[in-house]
Amino acid sequence: MTDRAKISLRPETLAASIGVAADTAFGAVAPPLYLTSTYEFARYDQARQYDYGRAGNPNRDLLAEALTALEGGAGAVITSSGMAALDLLIGRLRPNDLVLAPHDCYGGTMRLLKARAWQGHCSVRFVDQSNETEISEALDDAPALVLIETPSNPLMRIVDIAAIVTKAKEVGAAIAVDNTFLSPALQQPLALGADYVVHSTTKYLNGHSDVIGGAVVAADPGEAQELRHWANVVGTAGAPFDSWLTLRGLRTLFPRLQTQQANAMAVATYLAEHPAVTAVHYPGLSSHLGHAIAARQQRGFGAMMSFELTGGVEAVRRFIANVQCFTLAESLGGVESLVAHPATMTHADMGADARSIAGINDSLLRLSIGLEAEADLISGLEHGLATLSNAT
Ligand code: PLP
């Protein structure tokens, strides 16, 4: 860690300053980009700090240092994607180990867990983690790993991290929290007792929709070291340029999220009052089932939401054809607003049965709220919704 990080600076300062003016060669203020696959040895049998790019790279390490500081962990591994970060954790399980995952997790996470279970790497059980009876019964099966995703994707269900941690620790399970939807700016799972935080850095941490990346932050230094070793063994490390870009994006994480979540609150309030909308899933609304837990466990309600339209798939088609200011695309957490239809996009691979169990219906749309002017976002949505109101 640089000297700046050692003297307990506030998270906003850490995000803006880790690695700044640390270049000893030319005094560059922005961290230099090290595009090298290999490093010269100092002499016979004596490597320098780095020897080979799969094992280590200064840009990857700087990003890992920043995420470790922001999540309050002991160390981090930067991977080539969010899925690679999850697979890094799963890869260290034994064939009989059970993973307890949310029934409404990101579709790609469900696909990965099912695939690894099918291959015999582990077994997996999907449960409604917001249902106390269901999770308590599932913990009786002594899982090795409990994976939590809160808020969940796309229904924004909130679970009480500290409560699950307490129960999971009683049965000796490790706890990993996918913190992609909020980032450490709004939620710090390690402080609530989790062992690992997983990120798709593709989303808020990078924030500009131009990188695919991931990270695992560990609470325990030995575990962080093990994960780093395992990332080298399997070769899942993130690219130096992606790490450099992600650190650059991270500089503005706090102000971005502040504006994005203010926009989100305005959009959610507008949607909740619209006659063509039957439900709005945004934890910032006091009507949301998880509002009280979110208010306690998070430092803000984030900028993701989903909502349901009257009129089924036909209404979805018409809305998507007419909405403005929102681009129809997967992913989230960038500066631009996006709309996605989970049933045919992000959660298509889950299959209709798993979607129905999770409560993801064909009328559901997910929004990632960006940095545009609030009034333009609302007019853009109005443009799409007016075509439904006129038709009904
Ligand atoms: N976790 C969550 C909550 C996600 O939404 C995603 C992707 O959308 C991932 C993990 C996977 O990340 P990546 O696309 O970077 O592999």
Side-chain angles (χ1 to χ4, degrees), residues 81-83 86 106 109 149 153 178 180-181 200 202-203 212-213 332:
S81 68
M83 295 321 305
L86 279 160
Y106 166 58
T109 302
E149 207 183 286
N153 178 4
D178 186 330
T180 298
F181 264 40
S200 166
T202 313
K203 312 296 175 356
I212 297 287
L332 56 111

Side-chain angles (χ1 to χ4, degrees), residues 54-55 88 226-237:
R54 171 163 34 78
L88 194 68
E226 271 295 308
L227 285 166
R228 208 180 146 100
H229 167 74
W230 189 239
N232 183 36
V233 170
V234 292
T236 49

Side-chain angles (χ1 to χ4, degrees), residues 289-306:
L289 274 182
H291 177 73
I293 302 174
R296 192 176 69 230
Q297 153 175 294
Q298 304 173 192
R299 272 190 234 113
F301 297 110
M304 291 300 300
M305 73 186 68
S306 55

